Amino acid sequence: MSSRERILGRVRRALADVPKDDTPYERAVARDYLREHGGRTVEETVGLLAENLADYRAAVHRTDPAGLAGVVAGLLAARGASSVLVPPGLDEDWLASTEVTRVMDRAESTPHELDRVDSVVTACAVAVAETGTIVLDGSPDQGRRRITLVPDHHICVVRVPDQVVSSVPQALARLDPARPLTWISGPSATSDIELDRVEGVHGPRTLEVVLVG
Amino acid sequence: MSGTFIGMPAFPVAARDAVRDGTLRGNLRHATHTIRAKRAAAVAEVSDWAELREAGRRIKDHTLRHLDRYLVQLEEAVTAAGGTVHWAADAEEANRIVTRLVKETGESEVVKVKSMATQEIGLNEALEAEGIRAYETDLAELIVQLGEDRPSHILVPAIHRNRGEIREIFAREMSEWGRPAPEGLTDAPAELAEAARLHLREKFLRAKVGVSGANFMVAETGTLVVVESEGNGRMCLTLPETLISVVGIEKIVPAWQDLEVFLQTLPRSSTAERMNPYTSTWTGTTDEDGPRNFHLVLLDNGRTDTLADEVGRQALRCIRCSACLNVCPVYERAGGHAYGSVYPGPIGAILSPQLRGTGSEIDASLPYASSLCGACYEVCPVAIDIPEVLVHLRERVVEGGQVTRAGNKVVLQPAKGHAAERAAMRAARWALTRPGALRTGQRLASRTRRLHPRTLPGPGRAWSGTRDLPPVPAEPFRDWWQRTQGGKGAEK
Ligand code: SF4
């Protein structure tokens, strides 16, 4: 007998007490928890996102579409970045004001090559106001998962208000589980040493979120 | 479970030694109190906590009650998405599968994301025996691994170490394993984290094989979820060519939507954050993004035996948030090592004896590693009634009875050396079925409480030798209830 059959057999014997007509999944869980916490206007939701991002030590910037290229260029310059990773589908206008060397996101790049790049600029799939989270889903304007992981400086552009939702339930409903998702709430952090929070262990130590709207 | 803890003394002995260790107690007290206060604040932020907790309980219960169906569904979904599913009945089989998969890649080292399941089966040791080196990449796990130590907390495995000790370990051991610690390393947490970053980056960038666990698996979509803070998880899940995930069969949720409950309750319960810094989900493999080969090893190792126990099966709802550890007065004083298992604290006291059986002295003693104060149940985000299961297991240790081991029904003999408990259990049952006698007894005890000893005389001595007797309250609960109408009426 294979282990698969053995384990499934054990499960079935273990559940001998469960009646055949047990409540189906659709009725087994009362989903009477909230879809979002509190009532807010659209502008207040964006404000809450900014507040919660900052609370988790992300740097938050706000601008309009016309100002975006300037802001991105300014952030790269302030960082002293000499190279920036660019996902294949990133809006070219976003980098129109900077001379920094572009490194295209390619499957062939080795992790060591990525490690030599200073910054990365991406879009996002959705942002969650209540938790201060941005979610990337690997779309062409966000690139492969590793490009937002290896460089130490990540600039993420969020279109407000259309990419912003209030809550985790609302975010999940917008996301496609078949895609590889990365939820990011602030920069990498650890609390393993006497529970003192230290930003930055393995992921980018600086996360800058630009809210554009 | 892991051989790491074989030969551990039973809980009372281990706990007594731990309690005498002043540094350990200090480190633990600081940590548990800090995190406890933060968690309460994080939970208070969401007004529907009670509903989320109840939904979490029901989702998990429903899944467990139909586990066979969801396992098959998960297997189909993972396979359709390009992954390969393996089934492991016990630790030995799981280790064999993982070792074979690593060897097939031709590699002799792997990077690991912290995972309770791989600790439970002693995977690192099994790999080492086959000449494969496993690098733990979570900062706390690194501290534990370099210190040749054992983890003592689910979430902060090095909670028993303070910064001075960590500096010591890094300075002494890092060169043995790779990049040495920088010259003049101080004990500032930021510097220690930086040393770990440099030390581990070298390994991440060259790693070809990653090994992980998972917090959740979605049956409907075949999606796996890892929740973490540091980014070492993301490194291990995306940089290597081959990813092997070892996951307990109880980690399933039926549908994608179910994550909306746990992604709210888990971070708040564990690190007291609105959301942990990183959550990764992956469904099989994705072209040119992340590992090209994905293997999922579904682990039983005592879980189906636990499932067979109608009272005890609720322990399988656990999402390993560790909230119960941080509120437990026994854990706070004894520390995680005293539990002799990778699952410490209240959850360990009910999970380990079920996964491993109560044959060994340490496992037979675990159901007693509690004051039954109920704080663990209060904080548990999936409402596991830990005190109920503790009492149930105590009865099993003392009375014996029918249990399932490795899929077979066996009759357990009462544990040796528990004569005193057996007598106490019998007395308790006698009293609990006779409310009148209980009332009289309690009143009597209240009135004479000043005369009560801290240890029991006669045959009770062995029992109270390892416990302090609880002080008897000034007024029996029943009397208080009647007098105040259950606390509703004004205290008269
Ligand atoms: S038993 Fe409950 S509180 Fe304890 S770790 Fe598991 S889920 Fe968390």
Side-chain angles (χ1 to χ4, degrees):
Chain A
M1 189 175 18
S2 73
S3 289
R4 180 184 190 276
E5 297 318 312
R6 184 172 300 129
I7 293 169
L8 287 172
R10 285 180 187 176
V11 170
R12 285 173 190 134
R13 283 198 302 281
L15 294 172
D17 63 299
V18 175
K20 283 271 167 294
D21 57 351
D22 199 43
T23 324
Y25 170 76
E26 294 70 34
R27 283 192 282 118
V29 186
R31 296 195 189 269
D32 53 359
Y33 47 85
L34 302 172
R35 305 312 298 172
E36 64 182 294
H37 297 87
R40 280 178 300 266
T41 63
V42 172
E43 191 40 46
E44 282 167 345
T45 302
V46 174
L48 182 65
L49 173 69
E51 200 180 296
N52 282 338
L53 279 164
D55 195 29
Y56 277 15
R57 318 280 163 83
V60 183
H61 313 273
R62 295 194 71 160
T63 185
D64 56 16
L68 179 58
V71 169
V72 171
L75 293 175
L76 289 170
R79 175 84 184 178
S82 60
S83 57
V84 60
L85 263 163
V86 183
L90 197 79
D91 190 335
E92 281 171 24
D93 294 346
W94 295 5
L95 291 174
S97 304
T98 178
E99 294 301 313
V100 169
T101 308
R102 274 81 157 155
V103 178
M104 295 313 285
D105 169 26
R106 297 178 315 148
E108 305 80 64
S109 306
T110 66
H112 282 102
E113 283 162 13
L114 296 180
D115 195 32
R116 288 195 285 273
V117 185
D118 296 319
S119 303
V120 57
V121 178
T122 70
C124 78
V126 65
V128 191
E130 285 181 6
T131 58
T133 306
I134 51 174
V135 188
L136 310 189
D137 71 356
S139 291
D141 57 359
Q142 296 150 54
R144 293 178 177 79
R145 283 174 279 177
R146 58 188 197 163
I147 67 167
T148 54
L149 172 64
V150 181
D152 206 15
H153 179 220
H154 178 195
I155 300 172
C156 180
V157 178
V158 183
R159 283 185 284 265
V160 300
D162 47 301
Q163 287 194 313
V164 184
V165 297
S166 273
S167 66
V168 170
Q170 292 172 351
L172 278 160
R174 276 213 199 177
L175 293 164
D176 176 0
R179 307 193 70 93
L181 304 178
T182 306
W183 298 52
I184 300 171
S185 310
S188 156
T190 182
S191 301
D192 281 346
I193 303 163
E194 296 184 21
L195 296 175
D196 268 1
R197 190 177 165 101
V198 178
E199 264 81 48
V201 196
H202 309 301
R205 284 178 285 193
T206 308
L207 171 66
E208 306 202 69
V209 182
V210 185
L211 306 178
V212 188
Chain B
M1 283 169 82
S2 163
T4 326
F5 297 97
I6 284 179
M8 277 291 294
F11 183 82
V13 180
R16 198 156 42 210
D17 292 343
V19 164
R20 286 204 198 99
D21 181 340
T23 313
L24 173 76
R25 281 193 65 172
N27 294 352
L28 269 176
R29 212 187 116 76
H30 168 70
T32 53
H33 280 246
T34 310
I35 205 165
R36 207 188 285 181
K38 281 197 200 154
R39 177 205 157 268
V43 165
E45 252 186 39
V46 278
S47 51
D48 58 342
W49 188 257
E51 287 80 10
L52 285 168
R53 183 177 187 241
E54 177 63 11
R57 180 182 81 79
R58 290 201 183 198
I59 291 168
K60 281 284 189 172
D61 260 354
H62 168 83
T63 316
L64 290 171
R65 289 167 76 87
H66 303 277
L67 192 58
D68 50 338
R69 203 175 83 212
Y70 288 119
L71 280 167
V72 171
Q73 191 187 5
L74 175 79
E75 181 186 39
E76 282 167 8
V78 169
T79 310
T84 310
V85 177
H86 310 261
W87 300 71
D90 54 26
E92 207 208 317
E93 187 174 16
N95 288 332
R96 223 171 34 233
I97 293 169
V98 177
T99 309
R100 174 172 58 76
L101 291 172
V102 177
K103 283 192 166 167
E104 280 171 11
T105 66
E107 295 295 317
S108 59
E109 58 180 42
V110 303
V111 287
K112 282 189 68 206
V113 198
K114 178 187 143 193
S115 133
M116 310 285 318
T118 59
Q119 276 168 27
E120 174 189 321
I121 60 176
L123 178 64
N124 292 6
E125 293 78 8
L127 288 173
E128 199 181 318
E130 296 288 324
I132 299 163
R133 203 157 212 200
Y135 296 111
E136 291 293 349
T137 62
D138 171 81
L139 176 53
E141 284 296 337
L142 176 74
I143 297 167
V144 168
Q145 190 174 47
L146 293 176
E148 290 189 3
D149 198 355
R150 289 187 309 262
S152 67
H153 190 279
I154 294 179
L155 197 82
V156 227
I159 199 169
H160 57 290
R161 295 288 198 185
N162 62 33
R163 58 188 75 190
E165 295 174 287
I166 296 169
R167 195 206 74 84
E168 254 322 277
I169 293 170
F170 279 11
R172 200 178 58 226
E173 300 292 336
M174 270 187 173
S175 56
E176 286 291 304
W177 292 76
R179 183 178 174 134
E183 284 293 319
L185 179 69
T186 74
D187 64 2
E191 266 191 49
L192 295 170
E194 173 71 11
R197 177 185 175 93
L198 295 171
H199 178 80
L200 286 171
R201 184 153 281 237
E202 181 193 70
K203 302 193 165 61
F204 287 132
L205 298 184
R206 66 161 190 250
K208 295 277 184 288
V209 186
V211 175
S212 83
N215 294 86
F216 305 100
M217 308 186 281
V218 183
E220 179 188 41
T221 59
T223 308
L224 271 78
V225 183
V226 161
V227 171
E228 50 131 3
S229 297
E230 296 172 11
N232 65 306
R234 291 179 64 194
M235 289 275 183
C236 297
L237 303 172
T238 51
L239 293 187
E241 286 162 13
T242 300
L243 171 62
I244 305 167
S245 301
V246 182
V247 190
I249 53 173
E250 82 284 14
K251 293 274 173 107
I252 299 191
V253 297
W256 178 247
Q257 195 195 352
D258 295 325
L259 293 176
E260 69 189 18
V261 173
F262 300 109
L263 288 183
Q264 293 192 76
T265 52
L266 177 57
R268 287 178 202 268
S269 299
S270 56
T271 46
E273 293 168 302
R274 289 182 200 109
M275 186 62 88
N276 48 288
Y278 296 130
T279 298
S280 301
T281 79
W282 70 102
T283 306
T285 52
T286 307
D287 280 344
E288 303 201 320
D289 183 359
R292 285 188 307 237
N293 308 303
F294 169 56
H295 296 276
L296 170 61
V297 182
L298 291 171
L299 177 71
D300 179 347
N301 204 34
R303 285 159 177 77
T304 49
D305 293 339
T306 308
L307 190 66
D309 186 318
E310 287 173 40
V311 179
R313 73 165 60 128
Q314 57 183 304
L316 298 175
R317 293 205 296 261
C318 176
I319 57 172
R320 315 271 189 266
C321 71
S322 73
C324 58
L325 277 61
N326 300 325
V327 296
C328 178
V330 177
Y331 174 85
E332 183 190 321
R333 287 164 182 81
H337 292 154
Y339 294 81
S341 127
V342 299
Y343 304 106
I347 181 61
I350 62 168
L351 198 55
S352 306
Q354 294 200 86
L355 293 177
R356 304 192 292 207
T358 47
S360 76
E361 206 191 331
I362 177 94
D363 287 319
S365 73
L366 281 177
Y368 296 90
S370 165
S371 64
L372 296 182
C373 73
C376 49
Y377 168 67
E378 289 298 318
V379 296
C380 178
V382 284
I384 299 172
D385 193 339
I386 296 177
E388 180 190 16
V389 182
L390 282 167
V391 171
H392 168 72
L393 292 176
R394 285 181 188 187
E395 196 170 272
R396 175 188 296 173
V397 168
V398 173
E399 300 278 323
Q402 187 172 291
V403 295
T404 308
R405 297 308 308 156
N408 299 313
K409 290 204 166 70
V410 292
V411 176
L412 211 67
Q413 293 307 308
K416 287 195 193 73
H418 281 266
E421 274 99 345
R422 198 143 49 238
M425 276 290 180
R426 248 182 247 130
R429 197 170 316 127
W430 182 87
L432 289 169
T433 50
R434 290 166 183 77
L438 180 66
R439 215 155 34 232
T440 318
Q442 280 175 341
R443 293 231 173 85
L444 229 136
S446 283
R447 278 187 218 120
T448 58
R449 76 193 171 118
R450 241 174 248 104
L451 309 174
H452 283 209
R454 298 298 287 168
T455 51
L456 292 174
R461 195 193 311 267
W463 192 84
S464 58
T466 49
R467 302 161 180 79
D468 283 342
L469 288 178
V472 177
E475 181 183 27
F477 177 76
R478 281 156 191 276
D479 288 7
W480 171 86
W481 184 268
Q482 266 180 2
R483 183 167 61 79
T484 63
Q485 294 146 33
K488 279 196 217 91
E491 291 262 350
K492 278 169 240 160

